[in-house]
Amino acid sequence: MRNADCGLENGERAFFRSVRAPRPPLRNLFRRTWQKGLWKLGFHRALPDRPSTLMVEPTNACNLHCPACPTGAGILNRPPRAMSFDEFRKILDQALDPPGYLRRVTLFNYGEPFLCKDLLRMVRCAADRGLETFTSTNGQFFSGAKIADEVVASGLSELLVCLDGADQETISRYRKEANFDEILSGIRRILAARAKAGRAAPIVELQFIVMKHNEGQVERMRRIAADLGADRFIVKTVGISPGMPGFERLAEELLPADLSDSRYERRADGSFALKGKPGCGCEYVFSTLVVNSNGDVVPCCYDIHSEHVMGNLFRQPLAEIWLGEKFRDFRRRVSARRDAVAICRHCPEGRAPIRKTERV
């Protein structure tokens, strides 16, 4: 009987589950490596044939209203939409042809992934192909043992849970309508389900974004992560797009008093600016394909308002977009001078602290 989720026979599916990550052809691994290297040296015809990471947005809807998030603030210029499983599977099939390039599927962007009813089918389909899978959540969706068991059984590699406060009052300051006790209970259910199944995955990461109202709670959060039994504790700096309406007001309200580990600095005139200067080049645009829930391909997750749409995977082949002249031209511009591209001027990668990850 053919499995509807991935187009695999049941025997094939069991095989992939047993090996988790089948070794791709060595020639393609070698080809991927030297193609990326040659591009960095200026040989722009040597672009890898396919991305090594596929970042797919299952939905751009969210159940919370975080003020610095374009979705939560209601300023995202795309109507709410969830990607269907069939749409996802067609994208994945193309990303895996030829084999040996794609290694990881990331399932989130501007929205809460667990609002997409097909999320775990997407995870299972990618996991059954031997790919690493990663998703992020605000943690409000693990209300019972059944959903926790399903998350573990899906084959998910990593689960990041966002918890920006050590108590209800603190978390509510930013993650509007979040429930502190529900999030902790949900994490415990996931870890219990994992233990019951005798699995090491998903790796559970607890992420804490440091802001003005919670900067004194880092140690308490570290203890909470340890008490829960999380695998990793992530301390992340808050990000606010300089192009966001009310940027200065949000920065004044959210940035911690101690800016030493922040992405931002205060100028002499009292305004805020991203630290450092953008350099040349960007690994991301050579390795990662970002797909919004409506099928649009954008160069990276910092293209909040889809200013640089490279094509649409619901209407065009993946190879046509990934290897197309529009995307090649964008890569050339970024490689020559990142600060010439507006979305890259607002990107903290390589110029300011973003996160520190600790084993618990």
Side-chain angles (χ1 to χ4, degrees), residues 118-188:
D118 287 332
L119 174 67
L120 294 181
R121 289 183 72 194
M122 295 174 180
V123 170
R124 188 176 302 113
C125 188
D128 284 348
R129 307 289 181 89
L131 300 170
E132 297 176 9
T133 53
F134 174 40
T135 195
S136 171
T137 178
N138 57 43
Q140 302 285 146
F141 297 86
F142 313 125
S143 55
K146 183 176 182 293
I147 180 63
D149 289 340
E150 290 172 354
V151 170
V152 172
S154 70
L156 182 66
S157 305
E158 292 179 53
L159 176 68
L160 185 147
V161 183
C162 304
L163 185 66
D164 306 325
D167 51 63
Q168 181 62 52
E169 180 182 358
T170 305
I171 195 173
S172 296
R173 293 280 297 276
Y174 181 74
R175 294 193 181 269
K176 312 296 185 183
E177 300 178 31
N179 186 300
F180 179 79
D181 290 333
E182 280 185 15
I183 296 170
L184 263 60
S185 296
I187 294 172
R188 292 189 185 100

